[in-house]
Amino acid sequence: MTHTLYLVRHGEQVDAEHGIPDGSLSARGELQAEAIARRLRGITFDKAWHSPLKRAEETARVMTDMLPPLKSEPSSLLLDCVPTGWVEGTPEVYHSYFNSYTEDETVAGRAQMGDATAEFLSHKTEHRELIVTHNFVIGWFVREVLDAPEWRWLGLNQYNCGLTIIQQRPGRPWSLLVYNDISHLPASLRTGLPDNAVD
C-alpha cells in the first residue's frame, strides 16, 4: 500500500517577530490554516498528527474542524528542534548559526529526529497521514527522503501553511512529490520565510 505524508508547517503566530517561543495563531495564521484545509478537502486521511506546541496545535484544530471526521493527535516527536549540530561537510558560512545553540539542544534535536524518522518514515498500513509541524522538522524529513547530507536541512525553508508531500510505494524509496506549495495562499497570506533565511 502506498504511504503518503502531507506535511504542513503551522500558521503564523502572534508576535512571532518578537521572539515569543510559542504563541497562539495570529488572525492571518488562522486564515492560512483555513486556506490549507480547503486545499486538502476531498482527501481522506487515515491519521493526523501535530506538534504539541500551541501554534501547531491550533493550526491542526482549525484544519480538522474543516476536515471532518478527522482528529489530530499530538506527538512530541514533531516538536520544534534543531536536528543536528555542526557535522562534517557543513559549509563554513553556517558556523555562527550553530554557535547560537547549545550542545544539549543539538544532541536532543538529533535524538528526536532519529525517533521521528523511525516513527513516521517507516512503512505503515495507513496510506495517508497529515502532519502539522515546524520548519526544521519538515526540512529534516525532506533531507532524509532525498538521502542528502545531514546538514542539508538548512535552507529547506517553508512558508506558514505551505504544503510538502512525500510518498513511498511498496518496495521503493521515498519520493518528494510536492515541496512548500503555497498556491492555496494569496500573496497577503504568504509569511514565514525570514528575510535572512538560513540558506
Side-chain angles (χ1 to χ4, degrees):
M1 182 179 291
T2 300
H3 183 197
T4 308
L5 298 183
Y6 292 72
L7 304 169
V8 174
R9 187 184 179 191
H10 60 80
E12 179 188 71
Q13 73 176 54
V14 173
D15 289 333
E17 70 274 16
H18 297 132
I20 294 174
D22 188 26
S24 297
L25 289 183
S26 67
R28 186 160 51 181
E30 291 190 19
L31 292 174
Q32 292 166 340
E34 290 171 2
I36 184 66
R38 284 192 297 272
R39 166 78 181 273
L40 297 177
R41 276 185 178 157
I43 297 174
T44 301
F45 291 101
D46 299 285
K47 202 84 173 171
W49 305 94
H50 64 269
S51 160
L53 294 180
K54 188 179 296 183
R55 57 195 185 271
E57 182 178 19
E58 291 183 1
T59 302
R61 177 183 46 74
V62 170
M63 293 179 68
T64 56
D65 282 352
M66 296 175 64
L67 298 169
L70 188 64
K71 298 219 181 272
S72 185
E73 299 179 25
S75 170
S76 60
L77 297 178
L78 299 172
L79 284 165
D80 202 6
C81 70
V82 180
T84 64
W86 185 270
V87 294
E88 186 176 350
T90 306
E92 192 67 31
V93 68
Y94 296 130
H95 188 76
S96 61
Y97 175 77
F98 283 110
N99 281 344
S100 65
Y101 294 95
T102 67
E103 183 177 355
D104 286 347
E105 287 173 314
T106 57
V107 168
R110 176 185 290 277
Q112 176 189 319
M113 293 317 300
D115 290 344
T117 297
E119 175 65 25
F120 293 107
L121 298 186
S122 61
H123 199 78
K124 301 178 184 177
T125 56
E126 297 98 354
H127 62 283
R128 288 192 188 100
E129 294 182 88
L130 172 65
I131 295 177
V132 179
T133 184
H134 305 276
N135 187 40
F136 291 164
V137 175
I138 295 171
W140 182 263
F141 283 164
V142 170
R143 182 219 65 79
E144 185 74 21
V145 303
L146 295 179
D147 197 26
E150 275 201 357
W151 63 269
R152 204 58 192 93
W153 58 272
L154 288 161
L156 296 175
N157 294 301
Q158 326 290 314
Y159 281 95
N160 292 118
C161 288
L163 175 64
T164 293
I165 304 174
I166 57 178
Q167 185 179 82
Q168 185 181 43
R169 295 184 178 183
R172 297 187 183 184
W174 283 90
S175 296
L176 177 64
L177 302 185
V178 172
Y179 179 73
N180 195 28
D181 187 349
I182 53 171
S183 58
H184 52 282
L185 297 174
S188 61
L189 295 183
R190 295 179 180 182
T191 65
L193 289 190
D195 293 335
N196 59 346
V198 178
D199 60 8

